[in-house]
Each structure stands twice: as structure tokens, then as C-alpha cells.
Amino acid sequence: MTIQVLYGLFWAGHDVSARLGLWPDAEQAADFVRSLGLIQEILFFSHVVMNGVTLVLVLLRWRLALPVFILSFMLDRGEWILMSGNTLFSNMVAVDAWALFSFTLQGAIFALLLILSFDGSLGPRPVRPVRI
């Protein structure tokens, strides 16, 4: 899950740096920002946040990690569908390689969360009172 969070933050940094004009080619950065739609950005940043939430839930060993990750996955796939029509982005990066990496990583995470959910490693935990 940590790799997935870092992967999302990498692309979020790419997006934000373009908006802040930190790219060496300011015109390409402006073109990139203009090529992104509002729905696509909402899906993308929601996915990045949901990855972080999933990581926290895994660390807390909560079973909710699985449905939250599934939501994150659906947001990401929706964003990739919208991004697949972005020829500027496709010309800038190796989209097929990144998509394969992302999909493989997400499949592995889904499988592991499923296993952890059914073997009891992720599940409801009793609340313990705080002792002072």
C-alpha cells in the first residue's frame, strides 16, 4: 500500500508542479494543465486521498481497508479512462508501461487485502480504554 501511496503522490506532484510553473518548459506545463478536465482532476486527487486512507486503515488493521481500496481503484480506473484521450500526456510519458505497472500493483494490493480480510488479520478491533 505504501508503494501505491508513493506512486499516487509522484503523479500528484507532477500535476501540482505543472500548475505552479515548476516545469522547465512553461508552455508544455500550461498545455498540460489546460488538457486536464475538472472531473478527471476530481477523480485523480480523490483516488490519491483514498490511497492514503487505505494505508491508514491497513495500519490500524481495519477491515474497511478493502472497500476503501476498491473505491480508490474505481476512481483511478475512471481517471485513466478520461486520461487515455489526452494525447499530450500520452506523448509525454510511456502511458502503457505506467498503466501496466499501476494495474499490476493494484491487483496485488487487492489480492492481499482480500486475503487479510478473510484470514482475520483485518477486522474489527475492540476499543481499549486509555489508561493514564
Side-chain angles (χ1 to χ4, degrees), residues 6-51:
L6 293 173
Y7 176 77
L9 289 174
F10 169 77
W11 287 111
H14 190 73
D15 187 303
V16 171
S17 66
R19 293 178 184 282
L20 295 175
L22 300 176
W23 287 15
D25 185 345
E27 186 175 326
Q28 185 183 43
D31 289 342
F32 173 71
V33 170
R34 281 191 296 273
S35 74
L36 303 173
L38 178 62
I39 299 297
Q40 184 267 326
E41 288 287 85
I42 290 170
L43 290 173
F44 172 70
F45 283 104
S46 296
H47 156 70
V48 171
V49 169
M50 296 307 284
N51 282 338

Side-chain angles (χ1 to χ4, degrees), residues 1 5 43-57 65 67-69 71-73 75:
M1 214 37 243
V5 169
L43 290 173
F44 172 70
F45 283 104
S46 296
H47 156 70
V48 171
V49 169
M50 296 307 284
N51 282 338
V53 171
T54 302
L55 177 60
V56 169
L57 291 172
V68 170
F69 182 74
L71 176 60
S72 171
F73 175 79
L75 292 168

